[in-house]
Structures are given as C-alpha cells and as structure tokens.
Amino acid sequence: MNDYQHILLAADFSAHGDYVASRAQRLAEICGARLSIIHVVDNIPMPDTAYGTVIPLNEDSSYELLEAKKSRLMQLGDQLGIDASSRRMVWGVPGQEIVQMAGQEQIDLIIVGSHGRHGLALLLGSTANGVLHHAKCDVLAIRLQEGGA
Ligand code: AMP
C-alpha cells in the first residue's frame, strides 16, 4: 500500500479544530504528504441574483465575517506550514464543496472532525457523514468527545 500523497483538512474553526488540524499535520508528516486546507463559508446569507449567487460585500457584517474567516484560514495555514496555493475558502454546502475539491486536487485522504459546530448529539456530524458517503477517496474522521478531544 502506498502512503497518502495529498491530504485535505476540512477546517470549520470550531472549538476542536486545532486538535483535528494537529492530527492532520502529523499524518501528513508521517506520510510525507502534501497538506491542503478547505474552509466552506455556509453561514452568510447569499442573495441569488440574475448573475448567480453574489457575496454581499457591501454589507458590513457579512464583509467582516468573511474577513475574519479569511484571517482564520491564513493563521491556520501559517501554523501548519501550508503554502498559499493549498488554502481554499469557498462558499457553499460544506460536504459538497469538500468532496468537489478532493476530486479536483487528486486528494487521496480527507480529514474531518467527527463533529463540528453543529454539536455532538449524533455519532457523526452531518458534514462528516456527507463526506464519508460521497467522497471517492479515503476519509478519516477524528473522534471528538464532549469536554475534550
Ligand atoms: P459537523 O458536520 O458540523 O458536525 O462537522 C464535522 C466536521 O466537518 C468538522 O469537524 C470539519 O472537519 C468539517 N466541516 C464542517 N463544516 C465545515 C465547513 N464549513 N468548512 C470546512 N469543513 C467543515
């Protein structure tokens, strides 16, 4: 079996995110793999117009939220030593966008947290579940528990 060559970390910037990121970084080191990150913006209302979905940059709160997310992504990328071309922020449905990037970038392992911002009520969060069902490559869900990693 070959080692993984290109690993994708799905980062939602939730409380457990640093733990998931550190596992991804360690695995990439062990495999000698390239590491990329994706963050999907899914909580800013995007009006549909005749020209498609438009990011409302003229609305201060949306703009500030986007800037904050961008700076979190840059910070995480710097922390993990990931170069700028391997950091992606897109708007959409997280599970779909993560799977789509994995297909486009020849990712062979996607790393997600078992849960994210949507709580620990289920065995697997909805994004992790969606990625697991639709990805064409391996998926590693880092188990997260209440009150710790
Ligand atoms: P959830 O389905 O929200 O419980 O999240 C489970 C995991 O999916 C998280 O730990 C992240 O790894 C990933 N994830 C969730 N939402 C996003 C997002 N907006 N962008 C990137 N990854 C995400």
Side-chain angles (χ1 to χ4, degrees), residues 10-12 38-40 42 94 98 112-118 125-128:
D12 65 350
I38 182 169
H39 174 69
V40 184
D42 64 340
I98 293 164
V112 291
S114 57
H115 300 86
R117 289 167 300 150
H118 304 111
S126 58
T127 304

Side-chain angles (χ1 to χ4, degrees), residues 15-133:
H16 301 283
D18 280 349
Y19 177 69
V20 177
S22 68
R23 305 290 284 179
Q25 186 180 33
R26 183 75 189 115
L27 197 58
E29 265 169 29
I30 291 167
C31 297
R34 174 179 164 198
L35 183 60
S36 291
I37 339 174
I38 182 169
H39 174 69
V40 184
V41 179
D42 64 340
N43 55 359
I44 296 178
M46 302 285 171
D48 273 329
T49 68
Y51 308 103
T53 305
V54 174
I55 297 180
L57 292 180
N58 55 340
E59 288 177 27
D60 285 352
S61 59
S62 300
Y63 179 78
E64 276 166 21
L65 203 58
L66 276 175
E67 284 300 305
K69 284 170 176 288
K70 198 166 126 192
S71 105
R72 291 289 297 274
L73 184 67
M74 292 304 148
Q75 213 180 344
L76 184 61
D78 290 347
Q79 187 186 318
L80 300 178
I82 295 175
D83 62 59
S85 63
S86 303
R87 307 171 187 182
R88 188 179 291 186
M89 189 167 105
V90 293
W91 180 82
V93 177
Q96 286 175 13
E97 297 299 328
I98 293 164
V99 168
Q100 186 171 320
M101 177 173 172
Q104 287 167 350
E105 300 290 325
Q106 285 90 43
I107 299 289
D108 44 17
L109 178 68
I110 301 171
I111 299 187
V112 291
S114 57
H115 300 86
R117 289 167 300 150
H118 304 111
L120 292 156
L122 302 169
L123 190 60
L124 209 54
S126 58
T127 304
N129 200 30
V131 170
L132 198 56
H133 276 94

Side-chain angles (χ1 to χ4, degrees), residues 1-16:
M1 190 190 88
N2 289 333
D3 281 343
Y4 295 113
Q5 297 192 344
H6 192 180
I7 297 175
L8 178 61
L9 166 65
D12 65 350
F13 309 138
S14 63
H16 301 283

